[in-house]
């Protein structure tokens, strides 16, 4: 219900909420607000201390004379609650986005959703890509149907090429791995790096955006990555 983001939230209007029927035949029952992979329902609005500011950076409503503006002023943000960072949950979370974009493609836009980018301001520090092959392969699958993906690297001064990180050490051409910059265009000390693994830096340091109940600062690679994701949507 946040005043500066609720207008840009996505809803599945092909689904009738709370009737225990998969109205749009997408394989998910009552997914009106999105999807929660932990509870198998659309209860995506739990917590809010992290996902809300991330979403605000992507797409807080712009030019409305209140609060802040996201990178993309007029956009639809689909909420997917991944529950906890495991390969199984990553597959389930991305699987929902995959299913909805694939359905959109197959029905010429009559069902599903025209998803152009996903944002993962989460992952597993020091996780190895070779230990999560299905997770990494999911980015190729999403790319094949038209979805780019943005992932936040570790909030630690670590060489991701050597020490690993999930998802940013995945080698898919459809994954943009993001580290954190400050206002002087320098990498924040406590942010991952890697000549092979990290694609770009964005301004996460000292970002200011919506919070669960108002407005506040928000940083780290979690704040950097949605700047890139919002930009992908804005380009579309």
């Amino acid at each position: 219900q946040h005043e500066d983001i609720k207008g840009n939230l996505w809803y599945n209007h092909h689904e009738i909420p709370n009737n225990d029927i998969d109205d749009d035949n997408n394989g998910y029952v009552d997914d009106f607000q999105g999807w929660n992979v932990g509870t198998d329902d659309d209860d995506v609005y739990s917590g809010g201390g992290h996902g809300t500011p991330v979403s605000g950076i992507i797409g807080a409503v712009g030019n409305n004379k209140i609060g802040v503006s996201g990178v993309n002023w007029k956009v639809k943000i689909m909420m997917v609650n991944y529950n906890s960072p495991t390969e199984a949950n990553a597959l389930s979370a991305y699987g929902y986005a995959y299913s909805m974009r694939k359905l959109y493609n197959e029905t010429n836009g009559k069902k599903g959703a025209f998803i152009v980018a996903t944002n993962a301001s989460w992952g597993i520090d020091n996780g190895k890509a070779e230990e999560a092959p299905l997770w990494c392969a999911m980015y190729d699958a999403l790319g094949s149907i038209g979805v780019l993906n943005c992932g936040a690297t570790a909030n630690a001064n670590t060489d991701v090429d050597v020490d690993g990180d999930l998802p940013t050490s995945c080698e898919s051409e459809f994954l943009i791995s993001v580290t954190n910059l400050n206002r002087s265009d320098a990498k924040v000390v406590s942010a991952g790096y890697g000549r092979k693994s990290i694609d770009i830096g964005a301004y996460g340091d000292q970002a200011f955006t919506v919070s669960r109940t108002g407005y506040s600062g928000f940083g780290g690679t979690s704040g950097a990555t949605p700047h890139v994701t919002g930009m992908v949507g804005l380009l579309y």
Side-chain angles (χ1 to χ4, degrees), residues 102-126:
K102 189 169 184 286
L103 183 60
Y104 181 94
N105 294 348
E106 292 172 347
T107 62
N108 293 315
K110 293 180 180 178
K111 294 181 179 180
F114 183 58
I115 301 166
V116 298
T118 69
N119 186 92
S121 286
W122 54 275
I124 301 176
D125 290 352
N126 305 121

Side-chain angles (χ1 to χ4, degrees), residues 98-155:
Y98 178 88
S99 297
M100 294 301 281
R101 176 60 195 266
K102 189 169 184 286
L103 183 60
Y104 181 94
N105 294 348
E106 292 172 347
T107 62
N108 293 315
K110 293 180 180 178
K111 294 181 179 180
F114 183 58
I115 301 166
V116 298
T118 69
N119 186 92
S121 286
W122 54 275
I124 301 176
D125 290 352
N126 305 121
K128 305 290 187 179
E130 58 267 26
E131 297 173 355
L134 298 179
W135 185 345
C136 292
M138 193 71 198
Y139 296 117
D140 287 339
L142 285 157
S144 71
I145 58 172
V147 182
L148 291 175
N149 308 275
C150 301
T153 198
N155 285 302

Side-chain angles (χ1 to χ4, degrees), residues 186-214:
K187 184 188 80 70
V188 173
V189 172
S190 59
Y193 61 93
R195 187 176 297 275
K196 178 182 177 183
S197 299
I198 306 303
D199 298 305
I200 196 169
Y203 303 109
D205 190 54
Q206 295 183 305
F208 189 83
T209 183
V210 303
S211 66
R212 187 176 68 85
T213 57

Side-chain angles (χ1 to χ4, degrees), residues 210-234:
V210 303
S211 66
R212 187 176 68 85
T213 57
Y215 302 90
S216 67
F218 187 77
T221 58
S222 285
T225 304
H227 282 88
V228 181
T229 311
M231 179 200 68
V232 173
L234 184 61

